Amino acid sequence: MVESITIQPFFDSLGQACAPHADGVNAAATARMEKLLAAAIDAPGRGILLGAPRAGYGKSHLLARLQERLAGSHEFLPLHLLGGSRIDAAVAIEAALRRLTRPLPAGGGLTGLDLQTRRLFSLALEPLVSSGEVPCYDREAALGALVRRPVETFDFHHAQAVTAHWTKENFEVLGPRLALELNRRTGASLSECSFWLGALFRFAATVPEHPGRTGVIIQAAVADAGIERFSTFVALLSLVGRVVLVADDLEGIHADPAAALRLASFLASVRQEAPRVDVVVSVNDDIWQSAFAPALSGGLQDRLAEMVIRLEALDEAALASLLEVRAPWCGRALRDRLGLGPGDFHARRVLRLAAEMGESRLGVSADCDEGDRAIGDIETQVHSSDSGASADSGGGFSAAGANPELSPSVPAKDESVAASDGIEGLLRQFRERYGRD
C-alpha cells in the first residue's frame, strides 16, 4: 500500500539515529573510512577529507552509520559552527560535554563521561602504584584492578570501592601528582590538565542523580575557554579511546574564505596539541572551491586532507537497494518511473523524486496496491494448500479452486496457466507483471 512506503527522512545528523541503511550505498567509501578510523588506541590521528560533488550524496548518513558501528571504541564529537560560520572553543566544549553526559542505557544514571573519567584516573594512578609512590598492601592486585577493572575500581558510589574512596579523601594532595602524569602522557598544558582533572573528579564523585552536575561542569569548562582547553580535553579522552572530531554541515561558510581559514586553523591547532585525534571534514565541492581552496595554504590543505574519500553517484545496484529499503515492494515500480539515466542520481535526489511520486500516486499506487493484493491472494492459496482445503483429486494445488476471484487481481497470460502451473505459475505471473525477482 502507498501508506506503507517510507521515503523520508532526507537528512541525517551526527549523534542521532540514522535513517534505514541500504546495503551497497557508498559501500566502498564506508569500508575505507572505517578502516582508517579503526586504528590502535595509541596510533596517531589523521586528517580525513570526506568530499562529494554536491549535497545529498550521503556524507552525514555515512558518518552517522560509522558512529553507530564504532560506538564501543570511538567517541565522535561534532563541531558546530556558531551562526553557521564561526568556530568557537567554548561551543565545541559544551557540545562535547553534552554528548558525553547523556545517560547510558540501563546505566543507573551513569554517563559516558563517568566511564571515561574512571579510566583516566586508573591510567594516571597506575605508574604511581607501580613505582611505590602510592603505597598499598598488595601492589600486584592493585595494579591488576587498575588495568583490568578501571570502571569498578574508581566507582566513587560503591561502598566497597576502596581505591576510589581513598582517592576521594586524599584528592587535594594526590590531584597535582595525577595531573602531572596526564601532562606527561599527553604533552598538553599542565594547567589545563589540572583544570580538567579537578572538573572531572567533581563530576564523577557527585551522585548520578544530582540534577545539576552536568550544568556545573559545563559552566566551569566554558568560562574563559580557549582552544587550549578544548585541545587538552580531547587529548585526555584520546588516552582511553579513539576520538573523532567531525566538521559537517558546513553550508554556512559557502563563499566565505575567512571562515574556512578559521576552521582549518582551529583544527590544525587541535591536532598539534592532541596528535591521536582523528579529524573528519565533510564538505561538498562547491564549498571547498568557494571557501577552502582560495584561503588555505598548501600546508593547511594537506593537513585537512591527508586522506581523501569521495562519494560518487549511485550505481544501479545501490539505487535498487535504496528504493527497496525505503519503499518495500514498490522499488522496481518507482525505479521505472524516475526517468534518470546511469550516473545521473544521488541518494537525496532519488528519495525526493520517489516521495513526490508516492504523494501524487502517479501509477505507483496502483502497482503497489495490486502487488499487495496479489501477494495476499497467493498467501491465502498457500495456506489453503497447506491445510488441504484446496487439494485436487491428484493431491496437487488447484489455483482456481483456491480462489476463484484471483483473475481480476492478477490476470493470467493463458486461461489454463493457473490450473496447470499452480502456485509456480501464479508467482511467475506476479514477477512478470510487477518486476519482482
Side-chain angles (χ1 to χ4, degrees), residues 122-124 126-127 179-188 235 239 276:
S122 292
L123 190 69
E126 178 191 342
L180 187 62
E181 177 60 26
L182 294 177
N183 160 258
R184 184 188 68 80
R185 287 177 177 266
T186 61
L239 292 177
R276 291 186 183 183

Side-chain angles (χ1 to χ4, degrees), residues 348-418:
R348 189 176 300 160
R349 184 182 182 193
V350 168
L351 295 178
R352 284 188 184 279
L353 288 173
E356 290 171 2
M357 290 177 181
E359 291 171 0
S360 61
R361 303 173 70 92
L362 294 177
V364 178
S365 170
D367 281 352
C368 292
D369 290 349
E370 286 189 49
D372 288 342
R373 287 198 299 272
I375 294 164
D377 289 337
I378 292 171
E379 289 177 345
T380 299
Q381 295 183 49
V382 171
H383 293 318
S384 298
S385 175
D386 290 341
S387 65
S390 54
D392 61 16
S393 58
F397 182 83
S398 174
N403 192 348
E405 297 181 356
L406 179 63
S407 55
S409 297
V410 184
K413 295 185 298 181
D414 187 281
E415 293 181 357
S416 63
V417 167

Side-chain angles (χ1 to χ4, degrees), residues 16-324:
Q16 300 180 2
C18 62
H21 178 70
D23 291 336
V25 175
N26 296 324
T30 302
R32 187 174 177 222
M33 177 76 82
E34 185 170 4
K35 183 178 180 180
L36 290 175
L37 296 179
I41 190 171
D42 58 350
R46 306 185 193 219
I48 303 173
L49 183 67
L50 177 61
R54 54 148 293 144
Y57 273 67
K59 301 186 306 300
S60 297
H61 180 82
L62 184 155
L63 292 168
R65 180 163 168 76
L66 283 179
Q67 183 181 35
E68 291 181 354
R69 290 167 64 96
L70 300 174
S73 56
H74 290 59
E75 285 292 350
F76 283 70
L77 302 178
L79 295 173
H80 301 297
L81 301 186
L82 191 62
S85 62
R86 184 164 64 86
I87 189 70
D88 182 82
V91 172
I93 290 171
E94 181 173 355
L97 288 174
R98 290 200 181 280
R99 167 156 183 77
L100 292 169
T101 54
R102 294 175 180 176
L104 296 171
L110 291 179
T111 70
L113 191 61
D114 286 293
L115 306 189
Q116 303 285 46
T117 298
R118 295 179 186 184
R119 294 183 180 115
L120 275 174
F121 270 81
S122 292
L123 190 69
L125 187 60
E126 178 191 342
L128 305 186
V129 173
S130 180
S131 67
E133 187 172 343
V134 172
C136 53
Y137 294 111
D138 188 339
R139 182 181 302 175
E140 293 303 319
L143 286 173
L146 290 172
V147 173
R148 292 189 292 272
R149 299 187 304 278
V151 173
E152 294 84 355
T153 300
F154 270 96
D155 185 351
F156 293 98
H157 315 294
H158 195 291
Q160 301 303 316
V162 178
T163 301
H165 291 292
W166 177 84
T167 301
K168 186 175 181 179
E169 294 168 1
N170 296 276
F171 184 75
E172 185 174 348
V173 175
L174 187 61
R177 186 63 185 85
L178 296 177
L180 187 62
E181 177 60 26
L182 294 177
N183 160 258
R184 184 188 68 80
R185 287 177 177 266
T186 61
S189 161
L190 177 58
S191 62
E192 291 297 341
C193 284
S194 298
F195 167 82
W196 279 113
L197 190 72
L200 292 173
F201 167 74
R202 289 187 292 273
F203 175 84
T206 303
V207 293
E209 298 81 7
H210 193 288
R213 69 173 189 149
T214 296
V216 169
I217 189 173
I218 290 177
Q219 185 176 6
V222 301
D224 302 319
I227 189 172
E228 192 174 36
R229 180 164 297 175
F230 177 72
S231 299
T232 302
F233 181 52
V234 295
L236 291 173
L237 293 178
S238 71
L239 292 177
V240 294
R242 296 298 297 183
V243 177
V244 185
L245 299 181
V246 180
D248 194 18
D249 297 325
L250 300 180
E251 283 74 13
I253 63 175
H254 183 272
D256 190 348
L261 179 59
R262 287 193 298 268
L263 174 61
S265 300
F266 180 91
L267 295 176
S269 297
V270 171
R271 291 195 61 206
Q272 185 72 25
E273 297 295 325
R276 291 186 183 183
V277 172
D278 291 301
V279 174
V280 178
V281 176
S282 170
V283 64
N284 303 319
D285 288 351
D286 60 334
I287 297 174
W288 180 265
Q289 295 299 331
S290 69
F292 288 91
L296 271 55
S297 66
L300 273 178
Q301 290 192 36
D302 289 345
R303 286 179 178 275
L304 286 188
E306 286 181 66
M307 308 299 295
V308 178
I309 297 177
R310 284 194 59 79
L311 305 187
E312 304 297 343
L314 303 177
D315 58 24
E316 282 291 340
L319 174 59
S321 177
L322 178 63
L323 290 175
E324 284 300 318

